[in-house]
Amino acid sequence: MTKIYLGPAGIPLSTEKKSTVNGIKKVKELGLNAMEIEFVRGVNMSEKGAIEAGEIASQLGVRLSAHAPYYINLCAEEKEKMEASKNRIFDTAHRLELMGGDTIAIHTAFYGKRTPEECYEIIKQNMLEITDRMKDSGIKRVKLGVETMAKETAFGTLEEVVKLSKEVPRVVPYIDWAHTFARLGGKINYGEVLDYVIKETGITHINSHFESLVFRKGKYVDVHKSIDDNAPPFEPLAKELIKRDISITLICESPLLEEDALKMKKVLEDLGYSLS
Ligand SMILES: [Zn+2]
């Protein structure tokens, strides 16, 4: 049976007194069942706050994930930047563990002057260090989601992400559908991607982002917009998900957040799938 968790990337815009706890309550009220905690500008949540958020989420049946800070580069030339990046990933994983969440999304690295192959090896070593530290610190549940990226200069083709997931325990693919669509030149075969990722990695739950991207100077660029733009379209993905016996989280990263997540919910319902 397909199981879909759907919700916004961050506290819903319509939340009155904006806080993580109120955001989770709002997600439930809207009839959604997932929320991503945005640590994109830093891991600014106390341990107490994380535990509280986790309790509410578990009571209300809202699945939590987290987005690590944007300022991360596991392939940085400077040692300090590399160390800071590892700490940011660890801190994100630590807070999400306290929340009882499952996976963090990471914009892993830029190739910089290195080749993709050189970069891959450096990232792999760094990921192994982080997962060792997680193990030593008693972080048992949270997985590191390596996000597929749109930009050619960024680590994160589908193949790279899958390879790393196979070689480092607790690393999993984090599929940003729009990023992958852009990286593939503005096309995507959702069924093929799903089958490839599941077959290669053997994961039982997929974490993913969905939004549309801006088309500029002949290509899709990593500027997020409403899913109304159909770049890429949601309905064909919904159909492929319902067809399969799959468990997936869809986090809506459109600037409209819950408004677009609710449109996605409607598409799923029109195809006969109910979130609850
Ligand atoms: Zn992301």
Side-chain angles (χ1 to χ4, degrees):
M1 261 263 285
T2 300
K3 179 69 194 169
I4 299 172
Y5 300 87
L6 171 63
I11 299 164
L13 299 171
S14 56
T15 309
E16 266 143 42
K17 282 169 74 187
K18 285 204 174 51
S19 71
T20 303
V21 164
N22 287 341
I24 294 166
K25 289 180 183 165
K26 190 73 190 182
V27 161
K28 173 71 181 175
E29 206 181 294
L30 291 166
L32 299 168
N33 57 357
M35 186 172 118
E36 192 147 279
I37 311 292
E38 298 293 301
F39 290 136
V40 296
R41 276 172 204 90
V43 185
N44 51 358
M45 181 185 273
S46 67
E47 297 193 3
K48 190 168 159 271
I51 293 166
E52 266 174 28
E55 279 166 1
I56 297 287
S58 115
Q59 275 168 27
L60 299 179
V62 174
R63 190 176 182 116
L64 296 182
S65 50
H67 202 302
Y70 291 141
Y71 200 63
I72 280 175
N73 185 0
L74 286 186
C75 205
E77 307 255 341
E78 305 87 341
K79 197 169 176 349
E80 280 153 52
K81 275 191 195 166
M82 194 109 96
E83 291 307 315
S85 297
K86 284 190 265 188
N87 287 335
R88 291 185 180 114
I89 292 172
F90 176 84
D91 290 345
T92 306
H94 174 255
R95 295 307 190 284
L96 188 64
E97 179 84 7
L98 293 177
M99 286 185 254
D102 73 312
T103 299
I104 70 171
I106 308 164
H107 296 187
T108 315
F110 287 95
Y111 303 126
K113 291 177 192 133
R114 296 191 176 95
T115 67
E117 293 74 24
E118 286 165 346
C119 197
Y120 179 90
E121 288 307 320
I122 296 168
I123 291 169
K124 185 178 164 183
Q125 286 316 310
N126 283 327
M127 281 297 188
L128 285 165
E129 268 183 46
I130 301 166
T131 51
D132 273 353
R133 188 175 162 200
M134 284 164 61
K135 203 162 115 195
D136 293 344
S137 312
I139 299 176
K140 294 195 182 78
R141 178 189 163 97
V142 166
K143 291 181 283 300
L144 304 180
V146 177
E147 190 170 329
T148 58
M149 301 301 287
K151 283 194 193 82
E152 309 270 305
T153 52
F155 178 87
T157 64
L158 194 59
E159 289 73 19
E160 285 170 331
V161 164
V162 162
K163 185 165 184 241
L164 197 64
S165 305
K166 286 163 78 172
E167 295 184 353
V168 183
R170 301 184 71 174
V171 165
V172 294
Y174 202 113
I175 310 295
D176 186 305
W177 293 105
H179 290 174
T180 302
F181 162 83
R183 195 80 178 243
L184 293 171
K187 56 182 178 354
I188 190 162
N189 181 325
Y190 295 119
E192 265 177 26
V193 174
L194 288 166
D195 292 342
Y196 170 69
V197 168
I198 293 166
K199 180 169 166 282
E200 290 294 318
T201 66
I203 52 173
T204 53
H205 181 81
I206 294 178
N207 289 89
S208 72
H209 289 152
F210 197 87
E211 68 276 351
S212 277
L213 296 182
V214 169
F215 188 76
R216 188 184 288 160
K217 293 181 190 161
K219 63 175 182 180
Y220 288 96
V221 294
D222 193 9
V223 177
H224 294 193
K225 58 198 298 204
S226 168
I227 65 159
D228 291 346
D229 282 71
N230 287 309
F234 180 63
E235 196 190 26
L237 173 59
K239 284 183 179 161
E240 294 298 326
L241 296 178
I242 292 170
K243 243 198 254 176
R244 285 170 176 75
D245 179 20
I246 228 172
S247 175
I248 188 167
T249 300
L250 293 165
I251 293 296
C252 180
E253 274 200 343
S254 128
L256 302 183
L257 294 184
E258 72 268 28
E259 196 182 321
D260 275 359
L262 289 170
K263 287 177 202 158
M264 290 160 71
K265 184 182 177 192
K266 176 81 170 50
V267 170
L268 290 164
E269 283 171 351
D270 289 347
L271 292 169
Y273 179 84
S274 163
L275 277 195
S276 49

